[in-house]
Amino acid sequence: MSAVFKFSYISSLYLTFCLLLVLALSAKNYDATLCHDDERQALLQFKSGLVDEADRLASWVGETSDCCKWAGILCDNITGHVQKIHLPGKCSIDYSTTKRYDESIRQRLRGDISRSILYLKQLEHLDLSCNDFRGIQIPRFMGSLGNLRYLNLSHSSFGGTIPPQLGNLTELEVLCLGSSYNAFEATSIINMQWLSSMRSLRHLDMSGVYLTEASDWFQVINTLPSLAQLHLSSSGLPDIHPNVASLNLTFLSSLDLSYNNFNKNFMPQWIFSITSLVSLDLSGCHFSGPPIPSSTSSFHNLTSLKFLHISENEFMSSSLVLKELSSIGGNLISLDMGSCGVKSATLDSLHNLTSLLSLDLSGNQLTSTIPKSLGNLCNLRHIDMGGNSFQNISLTSLLRSFLDCKSPSLESLYLESSQLSCSLPDQLEQLVNLVHLDLAYNGISGPIPESIGNLSFLRLLYLDGNLISGPIPYSVGGLSSLETLALSHNHLTGTLPESLGQLSKLKFLDLYHNLLTGVVTDVHFSKLIGLKNLDGSGNNLTLRPHHANWVPSFQLEILYISSWDLGPQFPLWLLTQRDLSCLDMRNTKISSTMPESFWRSFPNLEELDMSQNQIQGRLFEIPATLHEVDLSSNLFSGKLPKLFNSSMLNVLDLSNNSFTGSLFHLLCSWGGNVITVLNLANNHLSGAIPDCWVKWQSLTFFNLENNNLSGVIPTTMGYLSSLVSLNMCKNKLSGRLPASLKCLKELQILEFASNELVGSIPTWIGTELLDLRILNLRSNNFDGTISHELCYLTAIHILDFAHNNLSGNIPRCFNNFTVVGPCFAEDYEPKPCYTNLLASAESKLASKPS
């Protein structure tokens, strides 16, 4: 073997050994703990200042654990220093139910931000966006995180003034401080000079931050040479600065100044000088005119523009402006010109938008079809023309440009509230790629065509608020992608097609207020495993499952089926719906006893209406989760139910039942601060009215009519400062009207008819209760004269003193009552007590004789 060969061989072995050693060391280094002790302690201290209800930081534990593996932490692979804290909360809040809302809020961190993060010397990325810091100020010490390149604190409910110390973050490339609107969040800036030092800043978002006093905003922005994205939406900018001598924003690609009311007549010229713009949003700025025409002040300079959102700007209705816009039409992908006052004639000036994928022309003054000159409409995927006036045009004509396409790309079509008065054409099936179709709140008549079932990609179908008649076609079972079907407020007849049960992706089904009849069985729901919201109220349907022990495949959150026939037995399948938050089973012909397990079956129930049945049984307690309960017009008996101290109950209606006993344990064993409506009328309640009203200061409507209550009216009822309607007619109340009632300044309805009250009619009724519309004191034992102070009741609709022991003259000023004459004559025919609902006062008035 030659020396050269030996050397090469040995060298090769050596290199191989070195490579294996490096790999072994790398593997060892990879498995080793990277986290530095001082940085671990800093993070643990940072965690200790936070409130983490959802336990998002559960991995942040241990004095020796590797903090580089904790949730939201990223370290440098070589040095082990913490480089990134990425802990955004849940930005989108689900308001559909209280449970989902609470869960969304639980995902948001709150508390305080510890100074310990200053020990993270190599921190480059800090994201605490979409959390909930409840109005605390952004800490000034954040300005000492000198290595930061990315800082996102947007939509996290910070308050107060943004500290200028953030200007020390000279390496920052992304700064997001945008605010949303809630009780805690109101960040502001008085002077923006501190931004001038951020020469590396590429992305700046201060949308929603109050900049009303920052008159220097544009001068400062104009000093940021690297800025590529600027978002200042809804910031109350004081001035648009129409005249700019020199523009330095040569790299700006995205500009959002939407929803700032600049109070200027003309668009500023400098915007048209930013030739690098790709996205421009001036929605809601209300510019009424274009800039003064010049070579540097028109759309034709913006040759890179792809996204233009310019709704609610009147100057866009000009044919000259639309012609200018056409000069860049080949590049535009998205164009939003909603509510700009555009007419069909001026729309003809817009043409050659050959690349357009999304077009919003909603809320304009269009009356005819979209001109073909607009561009290649066969490429259009989204179009919104809602809120226009197409009453003299058919859908076929309106959509002709799309229907003529060999392969239409249209995915979303919005024509809601557009005064359409035509029928649904069979040709809709040609729009084979439709995903969203919204034709709600028009005058569309005739049947739903069978061809609708061919739209297999359709996910949302809104046809509510029309005049559509006939049956729901069986072909709807072919809408295999459908998630939302809204058909409410139409004239649909016949029964539900069994094919509905095939829509396995359906989440929302709204059939409210139609003329549907017939029997519904479990077959209609066989594959609806994702159904969450079912509203079938206002129809004459009968639910009769084939199996007595039917367990639905869905778990509903909202169920409205009032006026269906569910009885006479209580539907046991209902008890399987443990996710229910809203339940309306009003007038469903149930006459059996409510199961004992009813309340335990619905841990998330918030709204319940089972009125107008004949349900029997006793109510021992109302669960604390409920906000509204209407069990009126049933056969419930026994004592009134108990309310939990933690209850959030707002409305409780137990009227027209057979409850007996005292009011005491309902009214006095609970705070009552939340309830605004309490209706216990037409029961068999007895005893005195308790003297514990200081706890009920939120009460607005209160009705105890037609019971067997006795004794005097408690003076503490004067604490009910929010009360608008008070009805205690047809009881056995005695004594005088307490003077404390004059504190009820909001009262509009006061009814004490058919009791045993004595004394004179108080003069303070006229001088203190000036908003009264109904005063009903008939059939009592009031005596004395009618005071002229009652003439101050200038809003009075009904004044009834009949069947008392009054004497003297009728005050002449009663002739000045312009709405209705007073009634107190002995020959006046007795009437039932007037309604306690203010909204019904007018209808009562119309039926009452003069």
Side-chain angles (χ1 to χ4, degrees):
M1 182 180 296
S2 67
V4 174
F5 180 80
K6 287 182 179 179
F7 178 77
S8 299
Y9 179 73
I10 293 172
S11 298
S12 177
L13 288 176
Y14 178 75
L15 290 173
T16 302
F17 172 76
C18 289
L19 179 60
L20 291 174
L21 181 61
V22 169
L23 291 173
L25 290 173
S26 299
K28 182 179 180 181
N29 186 57
Y30 180 79
D31 293 332
T33 300
L34 288 173
C35 184
H36 292 258
D37 289 339
D38 58 339
E39 295 190 355
R40 181 191 301 110
Q41 293 302 319
L43 289 173
L44 289 174
Q45 191 172 345
F46 174 70
K47 175 188 175 182
S48 67
L50 299 174
V51 178
D52 179 19
E53 293 183 354
D55 210 14
R56 293 169 51 197
L57 307 182
S59 60
W60 291 36
V61 292
E63 296 294 328
T64 60
S65 64
D66 189 355
C67 68
C68 296
K69 296 180 181 179
W70 291 354
I73 301 299
L74 182 68
C75 299
D76 186 284
N77 283 336
I78 298 176
T79 67
H81 286 293
V82 175
Q83 286 186 322
K84 179 184 289 189
I85 299 178
H86 189 73
L87 295 172
K90 192 174 182 62
C91 292
S92 59
I93 301 297
D94 190 340
Y95 293 93
S96 59
T97 65
T98 298
K99 179 183 178 182
R100 289 190 174 186
Y101 172 81
D102 290 342
E103 182 57 33
S104 299
I105 296 300
R106 284 183 69 251
Q107 295 296 322
R108 296 188 161 193
L109 300 172
R110 50 189 175 89
D112 294 311
I113 299 176
S114 171
R115 295 179 60 92
S116 64
I117 60 173
L118 295 180
Y119 289 99
L120 308 176
K121 302 295 185 182
Q122 302 303 315
L123 191 65
E124 296 181 359
H125 178 112
L126 177 59
D127 189 341
L128 297 175
S129 60
C130 300
N131 285 293
D132 185 7
F133 290 99
R134 305 200 171 186
I136 68 171
Q137 190 175 29
I138 296 173
R140 296 176 182 177
F141 62 73
M142 279 192 176
S144 299
L145 296 170
N147 209 40
L148 274 185
R149 267 72 170 170
Y150 180 101
L151 177 60
N152 190 349
L153 303 177
S154 59
H155 308 298
S156 285
S157 298
F158 287 102
T161 303
I162 295 175
Q165 286 81 359
L166 294 184
N168 296 329
L169 304 177
T170 56
E171 301 297 318
L172 210 59
E173 297 176 3
V174 175
L175 177 60
C176 299
L177 302 175
S179 299
S180 56
Y181 302 97
N182 57 53
F184 302 105
E185 197 162 26
T187 48
S188 62
I189 293 178
I190 298 176
N191 186 302
M192 296 180 68
Q193 284 298 323
W194 54 270
L195 276 169
S196 300
S197 59
M198 298 181 178
R199 310 292 291 178
S200 300
L201 202 62
R202 294 184 293 105
H203 182 115
L204 176 61
D205 185 352
M206 289 189 177
S207 297
V209 177
Y210 295 138
L211 303 177
T212 306
E213 297 184 35
S215 58
D216 60 345
W217 74 270
F218 183 78
Q219 291 89 337
V220 173
I221 296 299
N222 202 25
T223 64
L224 303 176
S226 302
L227 200 62
Q229 296 197 39
L230 176 61
H231 302 273
L232 298 176
S233 175
S234 304
S235 295
L237 293 175
D239 192 4
I240 192 62
H241 297 277
N243 301 311
V244 176
S246 176
L247 189 68
N248 299 322
L249 302 175
T250 54
F251 294 103
L252 197 64
S253 62
S254 180
L255 176 60
D256 183 357
L257 300 176
S258 60
Y259 300 102
N260 286 288
N261 193 356
F262 294 109
N263 195 26
K264 295 291 182 181
N265 290 329
F266 298 101
M267 271 273 291
Q269 295 185 17
W270 61 264
I271 289 180
F272 292 109
S273 300
I274 311 175
T275 57
S276 55
L277 277 180
V278 175
S279 175
L280 175 61
D281 192 344
L282 297 174
S283 303
C285 288
H286 301 286
F287 292 120
S288 58
I292 300 172
S294 72
S295 59
T296 60
S297 60
S298 67
F299 281 109
H300 70 253
N301 294 315
L302 306 182
T303 55
S304 300
L305 199 63
K306 292 184 177 181
F307 304 92
L308 177 59
H309 295 175
I310 201 158
S311 61
E312 299 180 50
N313 286 281
E314 188 178 341
F315 81 95
M316 290 301 297
S317 64
S318 165
S319 59
L320 292 176
V321 173
L322 295 184
K323 285 179 180 178
E324 286 184 356
L325 183 58
S326 298
S327 64
I328 60 166
N331 294 322
L332 275 179
I333 293 175
S334 177
L335 175 59
D336 180 355
M337 295 199 311
S339 302
C340 288
V342 177
K343 298 180 180 179
S344 293
T346 52
L347 191 62
D348 290 335
S349 303
L350 191 63
H351 54 81
N352 294 330
L353 305 184
T354 54
S355 300
L356 203 62
L357 301 179
S358 176
L359 176 62
D360 189 339
L361 294 171
S362 61
N364 281 292
Q365 300 174 30
L366 304 182
T367 57
S368 61
T369 59
I370 298 178
K372 292 184 177 180
S373 61
L374 195 65
N376 188 355
L377 298 181
C378 292
N379 291 334
L380 206 61
R381 294 179 184 174
H382 170 100
I383 185 164
D384 188 344
M385 296 188 291
N388 281 289
S389 181
F390 297 122
Q391 71 268 31
N392 296 319
I393 188 171
S394 69
L395 265 175
T396 306
S397 300
L398 188 61
L399 302 177
R400 177 56 60 197
S401 297
F402 304 102
L403 298 174
D404 288 343
C405 299
K406 290 183 179 180
S407 181
S409 300
L410 198 62
E411 297 176 1
S412 302
L413 174 60
Y414 296 94
L415 284 166
E416 76 283 0
S417 305
S418 292
Q419 302 184 38
L420 289 164
S421 56
C422 53
S423 59
L424 294 173
D426 282 322
Q427 291 92 327
L428 277 176
E429 67 173 333
Q430 297 177 28
L431 303 177
V432 292
N433 291 307
L434 269 185
V435 176
H436 300 164
L437 177 58
D438 189 347
L439 300 173
Y441 301 104
N442 284 288
I444 297 173
S445 58
I448 301 173
E450 284 284 343
S451 59
I452 198 81
N454 294 326
L455 300 176
S456 58
F457 293 113
L458 200 62
R459 293 210 312 261
L460 292 97
L461 176 58
Y462 293 97
L463 297 175
D464 40 320
N466 281 287
L467 304 172
I468 299 172
S469 58
I472 300 173
Y474 193 86
S475 66
V476 296
L479 300 175
S480 55
S481 302
L482 201 63
E483 298 176 2
T484 295
L485 178 59
L487 301 173
S488 66
H489 293 94
N490 278 288
H491 299 160
L492 293 169
T493 57
T495 190
L496 294 182
E498 291 186 346
S499 60
L500 271 177
Q502 302 301 309
L503 303 180
S504 59
K505 296 183 179 179
L506 196 65
K507 299 178 182 178
F508 181 94
L509 176 59
D510 188 359
L511 305 170
Y512 175 68
H513 203 282
N514 277 284
L515 304 171
L516 297 169
T517 58
V519 177
V520 179
T521 71
D522 46 344
V523 176
H524 291 85
F525 305 107
S526 57
K527 296 182 180 179
L528 303 188
I529 57 175
L531 194 64
K532 295 297 180 184
N533 188 326
L534 171 59
D535 188 349
S537 296
N539 291 283
N540 191 20
L541 293 165
T542 300
L543 181 57
R544 293 288 183 268
H546 289 145
H547 305 285
N549 296 323
W550 175 53
V551 177
S553 58
F554 49 70
Q555 277 293 325
L556 294 173
E557 295 175 355
I558 297 176
L559 176 60
Y560 298 145
I561 47 175
S562 66
S563 299
W564 286 34
D565 184 350
L566 305 180
Q569 297 300 313
F570 197 95
L572 296 180
W573 61 265
L574 182 67
L575 303 181
T576 68
Q577 302 301 294
R578 299 190 60 82
D579 291 341
L580 275 178
S581 61
C582 301
L583 175 60
D584 183 351
M585 293 173 55
R586 182 175 68 254
N587 185 30
T588 51
K589 301 182 180 179
I590 300 173
S591 58
S592 62
T593 301
M594 176 182 284
E596 291 184 5
S597 61
F598 178 83
W599 299 108
R600 298 193 303 273
S601 300
F602 310 114
N604 304 314
L605 198 61
E606 300 169 15
E607 298 178 13
L608 174 65
D609 188 346
M610 300 183 74
S611 61
Q612 300 176 44
N613 285 285
Q614 292 184 312
I615 301 173
Q616 305 173 44
R618 293 173 177 257
L619 297 179
F620 296 101
E621 57 190 28
I622 302 293
T625 60
L626 281 158
H627 295 178
E628 297 183 15
V629 176
D630 188 348
L631 297 175
S632 62
S633 301
N634 278 287
L635 298 176
F636 288 106
S637 58
K639 294 183 178 180
L640 291 171
K642 177 182 177 182
L643 300 179
F644 289 94
N645 285 330
S646 59
S647 176
M648 296 300 293
L649 197 61
N650 183 257
V651 175
L652 178 61
D653 190 343
L654 301 177
S655 62
N656 296 290
N657 279 283
S658 298
F659 290 105
T660 57
S662 170
L663 296 169
F664 185 86
H665 73 282
L666 171 68
L667 299 179
C668 301
S669 62
W670 178 66
N673 332 356
V674 183
I675 284 190
T676 59
V677 176
L678 179 61
N679 191 352
L680 302 174
N682 300 304
N683 280 284
H684 306 302
L685 302 170
S686 58
I689 298 175
D691 194 8
C692 53
W693 294 101
V694 67
K695 302 178 180 182
W696 289 78
Q697 295 183 37
S698 295
L699 199 60
T700 304
F701 295 90
F702 184 37
N703 191 350
L704 285 174
E705 176 186 1
N706 197 21
N707 280 284
N708 294 314
L709 300 167
S710 57
V712 299
I713 300 167
T715 58
T716 55
M717 292 196 76
Y719 284 104
L720 304 180
S721 57
S722 300
L723 206 61
V724 173
S725 175
L726 175 60
N727 187 343
M728 293 187 175
C729 295
K730 293 189 175 180
N731 281 283
K732 298 177 181 177
L733 301 175
S734 57
R736 297 173 178 268
L737 290 177
S740 61
L741 296 185
K742 67 182 178 182
C743 298
L744 309 183
K745 305 293 187 181
E746 303 296 322
L747 263 186
Q748 298 185 33
I749 297 174
L750 180 61
E751 303 196 68
F752 281 109
S754 300
N755 279 284
E756 299 171 6
L757 299 173
V758 298
S760 61
I761 296 175
T763 59
W764 50 258
I765 291 180
T767 58
E768 303 293 337
L769 307 183
L770 298 178
D771 290 333
L772 274 183
R773 297 178 63 185
I774 296 177
L775 176 59
N776 182 9
L777 301 178
R778 75 156 40 229
S779 300
N780 278 281
N781 296 317
F782 290 109
D783 55 24
T785 59
I786 300 174
S787 169
H788 73 276
E789 280 85 356
L790 294 177
C791 298
Y792 295 120
L793 300 176
T794 56
I796 201 73
H797 282 58
I798 296 172
L799 184 63
D800 192 342
F801 298 158
H803 298 280
N804 280 284
N805 299 319
L806 301 174
S807 59
N809 297 321
I810 301 172
R812 291 184 174 227
C813 57
F814 276 22
N815 292 324
N816 297 329
F817 291 142
T818 56
V819 181
V820 64
C823 299
F824 47 84
E826 290 299 324
D827 59 349
Y828 178 69
E829 181 183 355
K831 297 286 184 183
C833 285
Y834 302 113
T835 176
N836 72 317
L837 298 177
L838 185 59
S840 300
E842 301 292 350
S843 60
K844 284 288 183 182
L845 176 61
S847 62
K848 185 176 177 62
S850 299

